[in-house]
Amino acid sequence: MFARKGSVLSESIVIAKLGGSLITNKDRALSINLKGLRHVAQAIRKSNLPSGSKKLILVHGGGSFGHYYAKKFGLTTSFSKIDPFAISKTTGAMLELHTKLRNILLEEKVSTETIPPSELLNESRTRLSTMGSRRLNDCFANDLIPISYGNVDLSSKGASILSGDTICEAVAKSLPVERLVFAMDVDGIYADKGLRGSIISRLRNENQFTSKSRKYDVTGGIARKVSLGFRLAKHGVHVFFVNGEKGDRLLNILVGKSDAKATSIDIGKSEVRNWK
Ligand SMILES: Nc1ncnc2c1ncn2[C@@H]1O[C@H](COP(=O)(O)OP(=O)(O)OP(=O)(O)O)[C@@H](O)[C@H]1O
Ligand SMILES: [Mg+2]
């Protein structure tokens, strides 16, 4: 379906998930982390992506905007009937965060185009939709960086939360994604949920660390993110967890330098297989 000449299938794609832990102060309701946003915007500008056939797709999370209202109003990752006021309040907060992020990217001359997840993904939110694939191609053709974000998802069964991480997984399963970079407010994955000691530079299995979720988290936090990372690594995606607020680490990972301080998932080459 996607194998058109000059289509996204012929590109080499990096996905950067800008975590809510990085772009907001996650434990403080409705609080933007301006320093984190600025740092991210500068790293993306310096990466010079997109360039030639190397493309960048941005996805961001909800942090203390989306997660705060989701928690307050009982929105979860399963569909249920929710007060329309609560839905509108939550999507409004996400729009606010999204607009703030876009504006700061623009100040750094990083030009993005929004593709909402309901447009980007298929009905089951597991792959790209036909429309999503076309929109990505059209962004790339116009040198725009496509950006999507975790948000409230609606169906006849009610409302649920679709996380930015789930969007990344659906995109990475549909396209030739070379690298998936989770930019967060911590240096990588720590063995200990108290975030003590040094990070694990090569994560070989999911039992190597313990975790706990942040105050407002409704989408499973780091444990779910790491499981997702392993699923994608088994299919050939290079997965990294990096602090988006420190030095040039994010920039180095975006441009493929391997010596930046970060955690990468290492499953050994023999385990890599293709999607069925
Ligand atoms: N062992 C661990 N190693 C690294 N981070 C951990 C660990 N245990 C818990 N954490 C927490 O996980 C957080 C990152 O996951 P989280 O889902 O909160 O962030 P995010 O994906 O950036 O946010 P969002 O879901 O809003 O996009 C870190 O801020 C850290 O406090
Ligand atoms: Mg999260």
Side-chain angles (χ1 to χ4, degrees):
M1 170 165 49
F2 305 114
R4 288 189 278 154
K5 194 167 188 300
S7 79
V8 277
L9 259 194
S10 58
E11 317 290 359
S12 151
I13 294 167
V14 177
I15 302 177
K17 157 76 195 299
L18 311 176
S21 69
L22 170 65
I23 62 173
T24 74
N25 297 304
K26 194 152 176 178
D27 299 326
R28 206 172 334 137
L30 307 171
S31 169
I32 281 182
N33 177 5
L34 267 181
K35 193 176 156 218
L37 279 185
R38 180 72 55 198
H39 213 275
V40 161
Q42 287 170 350
I44 294 171
R45 172 177 50 79
K46 287 186 200 164
S47 76
N48 285 323
L49 289 167
S51 90
S53 65
K54 285 194 180 303
K55 306 297 181 195
L56 176 65
I57 297 175
L58 296 177
V59 176
H60 72 86
S64 65
F65 282 69
H67 289 275
Y68 167 72
Y69 279 125
K71 196 154 191 175
K72 176 171 171 168
F73 296 129
L75 280 151
T76 69
T77 51
S78 303
F79 284 102
S80 64
K81 286 288 174 201
I82 300 284
D83 177 9
F85 175 84
I87 296 173
S88 195
K89 244 348 222 188
T90 313
T91 54
M94 283 310 297
L95 259 187
E96 200 183 319
L97 174 62
H98 183 65
T99 305
K100 187 87 194 167
L101 171 59
R102 277 188 52 147
N103 286 342
I104 291 185
L105 288 165
L106 266 183
E107 282 170 25
E108 295 294 331
K109 301 281 183 293
V110 173
S111 305
T112 59
E113 171 64 6
T114 304
I115 311 182
S118 53
E119 185 177 313
L120 185 67
L121 304 186
N122 64 5
E123 217 177 303
S124 60
R125 312 305 190 213
T126 51
R127 302 272 167 152
L128 282 182
S129 64
T130 307
M131 168 65 88
S133 172
R134 186 180 314 143
R135 291 274 286 136
L136 286 176
N137 267 320
D138 293 344
C139 286
F140 293 157
N142 289 281
D143 295 325
L144 284 157
I145 299 176
I147 181 165
S148 194
Y149 58 104
N151 204 352
V152 178
D153 200 14
L154 298 177
S155 80
S156 56
K157 293 179 291 203
S160 70
I161 294 291
L162 175 64
S163 76
D165 293 1
T166 301
I167 298 172
C168 293
E169 179 167 23
V171 175
K173 282 179 173 173
S174 307
L175 297 176
V177 169
E178 180 190 313
R179 228 166 313 133
L180 168 58
V181 182
F182 289 106
M184 312 182 296
D185 67 340
V186 288
D187 290 351
I189 307 299
Y190 293 83
D192 168 39
K193 63 180 175 215
L195 314 181
R196 283 178 291 258
S198 49
I199 57 164
I200 302 166
S201 53
R202 284 170 176 269
L203 192 62
R204 295 192 166 82
N205 68 68
E206 290 178 60
N207 305 323
Q208 258 177 288
F209 76 105
T210 59
S211 70
K212 61 169 190 269
S213 283
R214 304 286 292 261
K215 187 170 166 192
Y216 292 119
D217 201 275
V218 296
T219 55
I222 200 82
R224 231 188 193 182
K225 198 189 299 295
V226 169
S227 299
L228 182 164
F230 272 94
R231 283 199 296 282
L232 294 178
K234 283 181 184 147
H235 294 278
V237 182
H238 297 286
V239 180
F240 296 88
F241 304 85
V242 65
N243 194 327
E245 218 183 333
K246 291 240 183 99
D248 280 341
R249 292 178 200 172
L250 174 58
L251 168 63
N252 287 339
I253 300 281
L254 287 175
V255 299
K257 286 192 188 154
S258 56
D259 55 349
K261 182 169 182 178
T263 295
S264 63
I265 292 189
D266 182 356
I267 50 153
K269 281 211 170 58
S270 58
E271 282 188 55
V272 176
R273 53 183 185 266
N274 293 320
W275 296 112
K276 293 215 174 70

